[in-house]
Amino acid sequence: MSEELPVQLRHALAMSLNNGANALAKLGQSALALQYMARATELLKEVHAAHPTDKSAHDLGRMLTNLARRHLQNNSFNEACKLVTESIVLFRALAYDDADLATPDLVESLICSVVILSNPSRIASNSEVLSMANEAVERSRELARIDPHLFTDLLCRSIEAKSAALVARQELSRALESCNEVISIYRELAPASHEVYAPRLASALQRSAHVLLALDSGNDAYAAAEEAVRAIAPIFLTQPAAFAAYMPQVLDVYVASCGAAGREPDLELLEPVMARLQEMA
């Protein structure tokens, strides 16, 4: 029984189970991966209860957030919400004493919570989601100001989570403002590291096009969607396996935007992409 193991061995067993969960997830064994991670979380709770330290709280908080993400993938929103709320409590306490150590993980937990609470089944009755989204953005903005290389992506993901929450609340104009901020950041970064940031730029443009379509701004949606296709297409053609699942999503919003703007799709742009997708089918 794990209760009979020394604390250090319980911690080591939890880490091993977590590694096993990650490996199982990569193999498509999501149900078994969830069981491994749930048991790892139980072990870390035992460790923290037996010998509470900042490290045990930090490890447990991260595990709770990761387990919440797993439940979110399975649409288990209640369990995911419960787990990420626990992690936020832990990281808030840690950030109070050591902001440098705990704030990035607190932001990750806040982002996870915003994603959960932005689900259509929850958003109408939840008044906390924008408060949490704003906190994630404010905290990550300060981190990015101090170390832009390390935390700019975290800032962008915080802003994107806020945008998703605003979309769920039908606050589309404010959501578009958030989309535009992320696009601006990635446009600035893409020339220096195209393969890293062009896909992120394309994703941000795709989200913007969806919002613009909802706002009946067909021409602006078309411009954003076309830029998204042009950003991701060259990378898809050289790394098709990496973007095979994502590319059709960009094409879908591009075609929808063409229709909304009364434009014909650019066949010269689309034909190489469509040919590669057909080869992979």
Side-chain angles (χ1 to χ4, degrees):
M1 297 292 290
S2 64
E3 293 79 1
E4 298 172 357
L5 295 173
V7 167
Q8 287 184 335
L9 288 181
R10 273 185 271 175
H11 184 276
L13 178 56
M15 294 299 103
S16 295
L17 285 167
N18 184 54
N19 292 336
N22 292 332
L24 287 165
K26 290 178 181 178
L27 294 171
Q29 300 290 323
S30 58
L32 191 55
L34 186 62
Q35 292 178 29
Y36 272 49
M37 187 168 284
R39 183 60 186 129
T41 304
E42 290 174 7
L43 284 167
L44 288 184
K45 285 185 176 182
E46 293 173 10
V47 169
H48 185 58
H51 187 58
T53 64
D54 284 355
K55 184 180 186 317
S56 67
H58 201 185
D59 289 345
L60 176 57
R62 284 185 169 181
M63 191 72 73
L64 287 163
T65 302
N66 289 335
L67 183 57
R69 291 188 182 115
R70 296 262 183 222
H71 279 287
L72 182 59
Q73 290 170 1
N74 292 339
N75 294 323
S76 300
F77 296 106
N78 289 336
E79 186 63 22
C81 189
K82 174 187 169 187
L83 291 162
V84 79
T85 299
E86 290 183 56
S87 74
I88 289 171
V89 170
L90 286 169
F91 285 130
R92 281 198 199 284
L94 289 170
Y96 184 82
D97 293 326
D98 191 343
D100 290 343
L101 175 67
T103 297
D105 288 295
L106 173 57
V107 172
E108 291 284 5
S109 296
L110 289 167
I111 291 172
C112 182
S113 184
V114 171
V115 171
I116 295 165
L117 296 175
S118 297
N119 180 268
S121 67
R122 291 178 164 272
I123 192 72
S125 61
N126 195 285
S127 59
E128 292 183 83
V129 61
L130 283 184
S131 174
M132 300 181 83
N134 286 330
E135 181 183 355
V137 171
E138 290 166 7
R139 286 181 179 273
S140 59
R141 199 182 298 283
E142 178 62 18
L143 289 170
R145 186 190 66 78
I146 296 168
D147 191 339
H149 177 74
L150 192 59
F151 294 115
T152 294
D153 184 59
L154 183 63
L155 169 60
C156 288
R157 289 191 292 110
S158 298
I159 299 170
E160 287 167 345
K162 178 179 178 179
S163 176
L166 289 165
V167 168
R169 293 170 64 90
Q170 295 299 304
E171 298 185 40
L172 299 180
S173 295
R174 291 180 64 195
L176 185 61
E177 291 175 6
S178 294
C179 288
N180 287 340
E181 182 177 1
V182 174
I183 289 168
S184 178
I185 292 170
Y186 284 144
R187 275 183 181 148
E188 184 177 340
L189 293 172
S193 186
H194 187 74
E195 288 196 358
V196 173
Y197 289 109
R200 299 177 192 180
L201 173 60
S203 181
L205 287 160
Q206 177 200 0
R207 281 189 289 272
S208 175
H210 279 296
V211 176
L212 288 161
L213 285 172
L215 286 167
D216 293 324
S217 299
N219 287 327
D220 290 336
Y222 169 79
E226 183 186 41
E227 186 180 351
V229 176
R230 293 191 183 281
I232 195 62
I235 299 176
F236 167 72
L237 292 173
T238 58
Q239 304 175 51
F243 297 99
Y246 173 64
M247 194 71 227
Q249 300 174 29
V250 183
L251 296 181
D252 286 347
V253 74
Y254 173 68
V255 171
S257 299
C258 287
R263 296 172 180 256
E264 291 295 322
D266 185 338
L267 296 181
E268 184 177 351
L269 174 63
L270 296 184
E271 282 175 354
V273 173
M274 297 300 297
R276 184 58 60 88
L277 286 170
Q278 288 175 0
E279 289 174 7
M280 300 176 69

